[in-house]
Amino acid sequence: MAYGPHTPADRQRMLAALGMRSVDELFADIPEPLRASPLRLDPPEPEQLLMQRLAGLAARNKVELASFLGAGAYRHFSPPMVDQILLRGEWYTAYTPYQPEVSQGTLQSIYEYESLIAELVGLDVVSASHYDGAAATAEAALMTCRATSRGTVLVSRAVHPHYREVLRTYFDGAGLGLEEIPLVGDGPERGSTDLAAMKRRLAEADDPVAGVVVAQPNFYGLLEHMAEASRLAHAAGALFVAVVEPVSLAVLAPPGAYGADIAAGEGQALGIPPQYGGPYLGILACTDSLVRQIPGRLVGMTTDVDGKRAYVMTLQAREQHIRREKAASNICTNQTLLALAASVWLAALGPHGLRDVAALGAARAAELEAALASVGVARVHAGAYLNEFAVSVPNAPEVHRRLLDRGVLAGLVLAEAVPDEPGLADALLVCATEVTTGDDVATFARELGLVLAEIGSGPASNTGNGTGAATGDGTGAARSVGARA
Amino acid sequence: MVPSDLRYTKDHEWVRIDGDTATIGVTDFAAGQLGDVVFVDLPAVGKAVEQFATFGVVESVKAVSDLYAPLSGEVVDVNADLGGKPELVNSDPFGDGWMIRVKVGDAAQLEELLDAAGYEKLTAEA
Amino acid sequence: MSASGPRLQPSLFELSKPGRASDKIPHPPADALDRLPAEHRRDVPAALPELNEPEAVRHYVNLSQMNHAVDTGFYPLGSCTMKWNPKVNEWAARQPGFAQLHPLAPDAVAQGTLQLLWELEQILIEISGMRAVTLQPAAGAHGELTGILMVRDYHRSRGDMDRTDVLVPDSAHGTNPATATMAGLRTISIKAAPDGGIDLDAFRARLGPTTAAVMITNPSTMGLFESRVGELLDAVHAVGAMAYMDGANLNAILGRFKPGEAGFDVMHINTHKTFSTPHGGGGPGAGPVAVGEKLEPFLPAPRVLREADGTFRLERVGERPTSIGRMRSFVGSTGVLVRAYAYLRTHGASGLAEITDDAVLAANYLKQRLTESGAYDIPFPGVCKHEFIASATSVKRKTGVRTLDIAKRLLDHGFHAPTVYFPLTVDEAMLIEPTETESIETLDAFADALVAIAREAESDPEIVKTAPHTAPVRRLDEAGAARNPNLRWRPAVGDWTPCPD
């Protein structure tokens, strides 16, 4: 067996010590009718062949594309020192630090992570991590209900659709109310949270709101009026939850600056590879006054009996292993190794490096906007953005598919991602980061121009893929690959 | 021996009556079971408490316990010292570690509580 | 102080020095941010530490050396299954084809990963004896919530709105009742029978039309196979409730017991336990959930589908309205799942059966060694599965030394402590799980250490009560940490250089 150390002699010795002849005797307590049928699986695979199999599977993915896809997961440069540290067995094969005396490495790294994130978000209490940005946002929303003893949360429709769906699942589970705040439909504020509508809802006294959730930047890349939204929430006695993108916090005003009570977000952008969805890093932070409401592990500084500085998991009485059915959350395993990865990445880049990452993305995104405009493709919205924005593209799903064939991953087809949001039937959500090159941008613009000309020049019949997208009708029926949940 | 002038719940709260005011806390036994107390969550002055219902939470490093009211009434005072020094519950559970004072609704409810001997018996069996 | 080996480290912030720069990123154009309105700009730069590569790397290498890890030694942690974390799995997850794939990439460019995920589902279906699997949940507890929400939706879909209770044994892991609460359900805790197993009569007394589900760990958290589970499942189904199996102890039953075949309706699997994905200091894990036919329509969306032409795709938004919805963003913790897949392919059918046989043999051997020594109480002396309980009740009575002290003294012997004070139902409990990847020499050394500590408790209790003595730090002031929480470093003003704008 691959990782088992026992020789037949070892097994014999153990059985002899038990006065048994066969290991089957140890399973005699499984009643006959409950015994399993044999496992119908392939035989064991030696490592050499396993690696060939895995390499073959990996090769069936196409990752060498000029990619402009963000929408909640972002590619950034990671210095090799980060992964080399993460490959140390003392980090990745360590257990949860329940015996702090032999876990000071993990504990100190978590404390440092809490401190780094606290600096970035401007809030003092940071949990040791949640599963991902969506779960962190759901926990944040649940916190507002517990803290205010109210039962309804408002979430902007400009928060990531996956996050809103997870909020829905968690809130239905807990029997709490979740309502969506609509977006401004046109004009210069189109695509941002409709604060007037929010204010009207907050004023409804018969169903007071526990919390308001707004993202910055929002799903469409737009910058929201967070200070104003925060003020409106507080005026109605609700808490304000900011959903944030951590790299952007190098240059954008942090939640602490605009009075947010809780910040949640996805830490994947802190140098963690996309990995087709995870493991990621749910960031959750709050003000001091909410420290006993925040779920998840917390690491604090203390001293040992000799007076040495040391770190320990603290306020554990809140957690499931003690509080059980009264725990705020059932979370046990979290994302510690990813918190370490994010910390090492931040340590590797430093504040200047992080700021440069954000600024480079912004510069490249502006370049992208201009390049797309030069082939007649303009932004959907007018508001300010950092490095992500939506563009109007006739027949967006078909254009996206053709660009993919030409080696360009042209962002996200919004008609498929947010089918219920009006006015986005022909739009792509595109982003640029510091790893997007000028060549990538030029390629995208050039190929987009060619594809638009192709499609615009008669019935779409070149590819025979039977999508049936008629010229110029702009409906772009979503078919086959590219259609995404 | 626990103080003989107090009454006790089977959940290890004690109550001292002084006219129509009751002072409530947890016993040394409870404090011992909990270990070092780190936080006590108490109701605000003016809140109503109900006999045998929870009125707060006491948290130690390794445990959390609900606090059950020995009597019904209205909270008239809360021990503010416990905010900065929760360890008073361990060091002086029957004195400086008191938790809340309540204006008693129905003095007859005292009869439903254990006296010192009854409480000693309970903890001896634990 | 030695030149190498575990040493306390200053904080990252103390190592910071203004002006240190690592020059890893090119400089942006000076006007890159000019177009951002002032309203949105950060006034005060984040005071992140300024280090360069040598300082940063040394910091993290030195910190790591203060950790116990599977790569350094034994973790006899009951309920955690701290088996070996294979190195090929780290290679696999890091293949650029897997690691660089964006989670919203179109199906056409994700066929390799989609195929891997689909195959993994099939393997887990076979192991569990269930019918379908979701790979979405990010951890076991997350899987528990997923499973219980599916059970709730199932009952509601049949108009059964009054099923509000979840029955669990009193030895259940804390996540079980916490999960029930998150699902808006009430937990009813049922005391075990004297032999440690399910008390059928006690369960039957509480099973009824308000029962949504029972949540059972099998083997139990005491390491005992629930021989009466068949009768329990009959009783549960007879009242129209569902049976959830907490799969934390799956390592004990691979190839010997398939929960779906036995009648469980749903179970979760901890890949970071049974299937070797590394614990990472507390996570990440993954918690796939396997279900029978009744719950299949309710699985989280999107599922991975295999088309007639052999290609794979994800379900589209709205394609399966009966789904409970999403439990997380994107498809799952795919990086963890790649590792689990590699592990499962490595072992195959015979390898998995061997894992369980060796894990159970090792646990019984270790229990035998301790029983023969007489040093500890063994509350359940019969055959155990992959883990067993030893108790320090007698040691405490004779010497005042408790399980906590014994755990700390084990650290001085180079072992991590076992799981202590769990399950809650056993006094001074130590839950010991060797797993199948520890050599008999390690098992013997561990038994010897435990016995030595018991003897020490009699001859020199103080040294045990004040242990550990050789770890980088000794016992911590946990009360102080909770009374006056210090949860973040506070950089002093002037510790950083504001970024030139």
Side-chain angles (χ1 to χ4, degrees), chain A residues 37 60 111 119 132 325 485, chain C residues 47 115 181 261 315 329 486:
Chain A
S37 59
R60 294 188 65 210
Y111 180 85
E119 259 308 298
D132 66 354
E325 67 268 15
Chain C
Q115 178 174 343
T181 301
E261 273 182 358
E315 275 179 336
S329 58
N486 171 341

Side-chain angles (χ1 to χ4, degrees), chain A residues 14-384:
Chain A
M14 289 193 276
L15 284 170
L18 297 167
M20 291 180 184
R21 273 211 266 269
S22 149
V23 76
D24 288 334
E25 295 176 54
L26 292 169
F27 295 92
D29 54 354
I30 302 182
E32 183 68 51
L34 295 179
R35 292 184 189 166
S37 59
L39 283 171
R40 285 184 325 270
L41 293 171
D42 287 344
E45 191 152 74
E47 195 162 279
Q48 180 188 345
L49 298 180
L50 173 73
M51 290 173 70
Q52 287 171 9
R53 176 193 293 275
L54 290 162
L57 283 170
R60 294 188 65 210
N61 292 335
K62 288 192 193 45
V63 293
E64 296 298 324
L65 300 163
S67 174
F68 296 85
L69 181 52
Y74 302 96
R75 298 177 312 143
H76 287 292
F77 168 72
S78 181
M81 63 168 264
V82 177
D83 200 43
Q84 289 181 24
I85 284 167
L86 295 174
L87 273 167
R88 291 186 74 86
E90 299 96 324
W91 287 121
Y92 80 90
T93 72
Y95 183 59
T96 310
Y98 288 121
Q99 298 294 344
E101 299 89 345
V102 293
S103 314
Q104 286 299 296
T106 293
L107 287 162
Q108 183 168 339
S109 76
I110 297 173
Y111 180 85
E112 290 174 354
Y113 162 81
E114 291 168 355
S115 305
L116 291 165
I117 299 297
E119 259 308 298
L120 270 180
V121 303
L123 294 170
D124 283 335
V125 179
V126 178
S127 91
S129 68
H130 293 268
Y131 308 134
D132 66 354
T137 302
E139 294 280 17
L142 290 169
M143 275 173 78
T144 67
C145 295
R146 284 197 297 278
T148 61
S149 300
R150 295 177 176 182
T152 300
V153 166
L154 305 183
V155 60
S156 162
R157 286 179 65 88
V159 167
H160 196 294
H162 290 188
Y163 291 25
R164 284 183 285 127
E165 288 177 56
V166 171
L167 272 172
R168 174 86 42 211
T169 308
Y170 275 60
F171 269 56
D172 281 353
L176 295 165
L178 187 72
E179 293 170 24
E180 293 189 329
I181 312 168
L183 305 183
V184 175
D186 52 30
E189 299 282 336
R190 181 183 172 197
S192 332
T193 306
D194 184 345
L195 294 182
M198 185 177 113
K199 187 174 177 183
R200 283 192 301 274
R201 173 57 186 88
L202 284 168
E204 284 169 32
D206 55 336
D207 185 5
V209 170
V212 173
V213 182
V214 181
Q216 180 75 312
N218 73 20
F219 179 65
Y220 304 101
L222 297 166
L223 299 178
E224 300 262 21
H225 301 295
M226 298 302 269
E228 175 65 9
S230 179
R231 202 186 58 75
L232 289 172
H234 291 145
L239 296 179
F240 187 63
V241 177
V243 179
V244 293
E245 196 284 285
V247 170
S248 75
L249 292 175
V251 300
L252 295 182
Y258 49 76
D261 301 284
I262 307 171
E266 179 52 68
Q268 173 274 330
L270 298 171
I272 294 163
Q275 302 172 91
Y276 202 65
Y280 284 172
L281 174 60
I283 294 174
L284 186 63
C286 67
T287 54
D288 265 327
S289 59
L290 291 169
V291 68
R292 283 196 147 72
Q293 300 296 336
I294 195 168
R297 300 190 186 122
L298 291 170
V299 170
M301 188 192 280
T302 185
T303 50
D304 80 345
V305 292
D306 297 325
K308 285 188 198 150
R309 181 198 290 172
Y311 301 89
V312 70
M313 291 197 292
T314 190
L315 303 183
Q316 284 190 72
R318 304 160 302 117
E319 297 186 58
Q320 52 73 28
H321 58 293
I322 290 175
R323 209 74 174 109
R324 295 174 70 89
E325 67 268 15
K326 294 184 182 151
S329 166
N330 70 351
I331 188 167
C332 184
T333 295
N334 60 6
Q335 306 293 101
T336 302
L337 192 67
L338 288 312
L340 175 69
S343 303
V344 180
W345 188 78
L346 287 170
L349 292 183
H352 303 283
L354 183 69
R355 181 223 175 254
D356 287 347
V357 165
L360 279 168
R364 192 68 77 196
E367 200 184 302
L368 176 66
E369 183 187 352
L372 296 179
S374 76
V375 295
V377 167
R379 287 184 62 204
V380 171
H381 308 113

Side-chain angles (χ1 to χ4, degrees), chain C residues 129-455:
Chain C
M130 296 280 187
R131 192 182 150 88
V133 162
T134 174
L135 299 173
Q136 227 191 71
H142 206 206
E144 287 179 37
L145 182 60
T146 304
I148 292 298
L149 288 176
M150 284 195 276
V151 164
R152 223 183 51 145
D153 271 17
Y154 166 80
H155 289 309
R156 288 183 177 180
S157 73
R158 304 172 81 238
D160 212 345
M161 310 303 271
D162 294 328
R163 296 206 177 251
T164 52
D165 298 338
V166 173
L167 273 50
V168 305
D170 60 354
S171 56
H173 194 280
T175 52
N176 294 171
T179 293
T181 301
M182 284 183 89
L185 301 171
R186 183 173 72 131
T187 304
I188 298 179
S189 189
I190 310 284
K191 209 154 140 34
D195 67 356
I198 291 166
D199 183 334
L200 274 176
D201 291 334
F203 265 92
R204 285 191 183 116
R206 304 306 300 262
L207 278 169
T210 61
T211 310
V214 302
M215 290 179 87
I216 302 293
T217 308
N218 189 22
S220 71
T221 59
M222 288 162 291
L224 305 171
F225 189 85
E226 294 280 13
S227 309
R228 298 189 279 281
V229 73
E231 291 127 291
L232 178 68
L233 293 172
D234 289 339
V236 169
H237 292 134
V239 301
M242 298 210 115
Y244 182 100
M245 192 176 107
D246 181 324
N249 291 335
L250 185 57
N251 214 44
I253 52 171
L254 295 167
R256 293 278 182 176
F257 177 77
K258 291 183 182 175
E261 273 182 358
F264 279 97
D265 299 287
V266 51
M267 72 175 287
H268 80 266
I269 292 162
N270 305 72
T271 64
H272 45 294
K273 295 186 182 194
T274 323
F275 300 133
S276 85
T277 68
H279 283 77
V289 173
V291 298
E293 196 174 16
K294 293 193 176 129
L295 293 179
E296 190 176 356
F298 303 96
L299 287 170
R303 290 188 69 179
V304 179
L305 303 175
R306 185 173 162 193
E307 303 279 59
D309 64 359
T311 60
F312 300 89
R313 69 173 181 89
L314 289 179
E315 275 179 336
R316 289 181 264 278
V317 175
E319 187 171 342
R320 183 171 43 93
T322 51
S323 161
I324 55 169
R326 277 189 167 278
M327 296 300 297
R328 60 166 303 140
S329 58
F330 311 121
V331 164
S333 290
T334 308
V336 176
L337 299 169
V338 168
R339 291 170 170 89
Y341 175 83
Y343 182 79
L344 288 164
R345 280 265 177 222
T346 294
H347 287 86
S350 58
L352 291 173
E354 255 184 70
I355 285 169
T356 283
D357 286 357
D358 277 352
V360 171
L361 180 57
N364 279 280
Y365 172 73
L366 197 46
K367 178 167 70 67
Q368 182 64 19
R369 289 260 355 241
L370 286 180
T371 305
E372 282 168 5
S373 75
Y376 296 94
D377 308 314
I378 307 290
F380 305 104
V383 162
C384 64
K385 289 286 159 290
H386 66 317
E387 64 191 5
F388 66 95
I389 298 183
S391 161
T393 298
S394 299
V395 173
K396 179 173 150 196
R397 196 181 54 244
K398 285 186 281 194
T399 69
V401 165
R402 306 175 53 221
T403 284
L404 176 69
D405 306 313
I406 295 162
K408 299 301 183 190
R409 189 59 172 147
L410 273 168
L411 306 181
D412 289 331
H413 286 259
F415 299 110
H416 192 276
T419 300
V420 294
Y421 300 104
F422 178 80
L424 303 175
T425 47
V426 176
D427 183 57
E428 298 295 334
M430 286 186 282
L431 186 61
I432 296 169
E433 179 184 357
T435 83
E436 72 284 1
T437 58
E438 298 296 333
S439 70
I440 199 171
E441 290 78 21
T442 301
L443 300 180
D444 283 336
F446 178 68
D448 291 342
L450 271 176
V451 172
I453 295 170
R455 308 243 183 285

